[in-house]
Amino acid sequence: MRQEIHEQIKGTSLARGMTDADVDALLASSQVRLVRYKKGEIIFHEGDVPERLFLLISGAVRILKDTYSGRQIFLGEIRKPGVMFGEVYLFIERHAYDMFTQALVPTELLEISSRMLTQGAADAALSEAYDSQRVRLQGLLQRNLLRDFARKAYQMNNMLKVLASGSLRGKIARYLMLQPQQDGGKICLPESRESTAIYLAVSRPALSRELSAMQREGILSVESRTIRILDRERLEEYL
């Protein structure tokens, strides 16, 4: 089991540039723990003080927010092993979580204490002989987190461009143009239809209706999460 976790972590953006020894040192640290959550169990509550970074090993996590009226707003899901979440809050001074997360199914998370991300943090689990490796490990974690923040900032900038589009069709057009395209204008959506609707700030039925309309008009070909651009010129008219 430990070897499986080792291989999963090695393939994540958090472990970019790490050797096998670095990953082993990370897993051996007292600031890192593997936590199992039951289906429906809360991982952290809204208002909790952030203390750790979370990395999905297996299972699925739903991100939610309670409203004053008692409703719950669905913000997204994390299903891909190796995806990090909660890391941004660690670097915002005195900022509690403004949403909560829940395990959708039995879920395993690797949780890394914020102390591990601070240069010079002590770690009783590592002997003095490993001090240089600890410093190297912290440096790699910080560098990889900086890259992750830059990537998320870029994605947020793209999302603002999409949301700034006036109509729903304009949002769809700009969103599709930002996705990697294969030969023939084929696009494999990175998220489910529900998650894509949340990204576009529309209801799922509204998104489905508009996609169906664009398919009838010969602009797109839609099959589940695979979309093919049939008429790029007409699609670009909505940008």
Side-chain angles (χ1 to χ4, degrees):
M1 181 62 180
R2 186 180 179 86
Q3 184 60 30
E4 291 179 10
I5 296 174
H6 176 109
E7 292 303 320
Q8 282 182 305
I9 295 172
K10 190 77 182 292
T12 66
S13 61
L14 184 65
R16 182 179 297 160
M18 289 188 185
T19 64
D20 287 336
D22 292 328
V23 176
D24 286 338
L26 178 66
L27 292 174
S29 171
S30 63
Q31 306 300 325
V32 178
R33 64 185 188 181
L34 181 67
V35 183
R36 295 177 174 86
Y37 292 89
K38 298 177 182 177
K39 178 181 178 180
E41 190 172 355
I42 300 298
I43 298 164
F44 59 76
H45 293 83
E46 185 171 352
D48 284 351
V49 177
E51 295 179 343
R52 55 187 61 88
L53 173 156
F54 301 90
L55 189 147
L56 182 67
I57 298 298
S58 65
V61 173
R62 174 164 287 179
I63 305 171
L64 302 158
K65 182 175 179 62
D66 287 325
T67 67
Y68 287 112
S69 61
R71 292 191 307 111
Q72 284 187 348
I73 301 174
F74 173 77
L75 299 178
E77 289 180 0
I78 300 170
R79 292 181 175 273
K80 185 178 179 181
V83 171
M84 289 184 288
F85 62 98
E87 72 276 19
V88 174
Y89 290 85
L90 296 175
F91 297 91
I92 304 176
E93 189 175 0
R94 296 187 297 276
H95 196 294
Y97 294 117
D98 54 5
M99 40 65 169
F100 69 96
T101 54
Q102 183 180 39
L104 271 175
V105 295
T107 296
E108 286 186 317
L109 297 176
L110 192 74
E111 301 184 358
I112 303 176
S113 170
S114 59
R115 294 181 62 204
M116 190 71 181
L117 309 174
T118 304
Q119 189 66 38
D123 188 347
L126 300 177
S127 66
E128 291 182 5
Y130 285 86
D131 278 353
S132 61
Q133 186 176 46
R134 173 175 55 77
V135 172
R136 165 184 161 80
L137 185 58
Q138 289 176 333
L140 286 170
L141 287 171
Q142 291 170 351
R143 184 196 67 185
N144 290 339
L145 278 174
L146 182 60
R147 286 177 172 172
D148 185 67
F149 290 156
R151 177 182 58 82
K152 289 187 174 180
Y154 175 75
Q155 291 175 340
M156 181 63 68
N157 183 56
N158 283 339
M159 185 173 72
L160 291 174
K161 291 178 182 177
V162 170
L163 294 179
S165 302
S167 64
L168 172 53
R169 187 164 293 199
K171 291 180 180 179
I172 293 172
R174 191 168 296 279
Y175 175 75
L176 292 177
M177 288 300 185
L178 289 171
Q179 304 306 312
Q181 298 182 23
Q182 303 175 18
D183 292 341
K186 181 180 177 182
I187 298 169
C188 295
L189 296 181
E191 304 288 347
S192 65
R193 185 71 62 85
E194 183 177 21
S195 295
T196 302
I198 290 171
Y199 182 94
L200 298 176
V202 299
S203 67
R204 187 183 186 282
L207 174 61
S208 295
R209 285 195 300 271
E210 196 65 32
L211 288 174
S212 295
M214 295 173 80
Q215 182 166 242
R216 288 194 302 271
E217 295 172 26
I219 301 172
L220 304 174
S221 171
V222 183
E223 184 177 348
S224 187
R225 287 170 59 175
T226 301
I227 295 178
R228 188 181 299 276
I229 300 174
L230 302 178
D231 192 332
R232 180 178 295 274
E233 186 175 344
R234 286 188 63 193
L235 184 66
E236 290 178 351
E237 290 178 1
Y238 300 102
L239 296 178

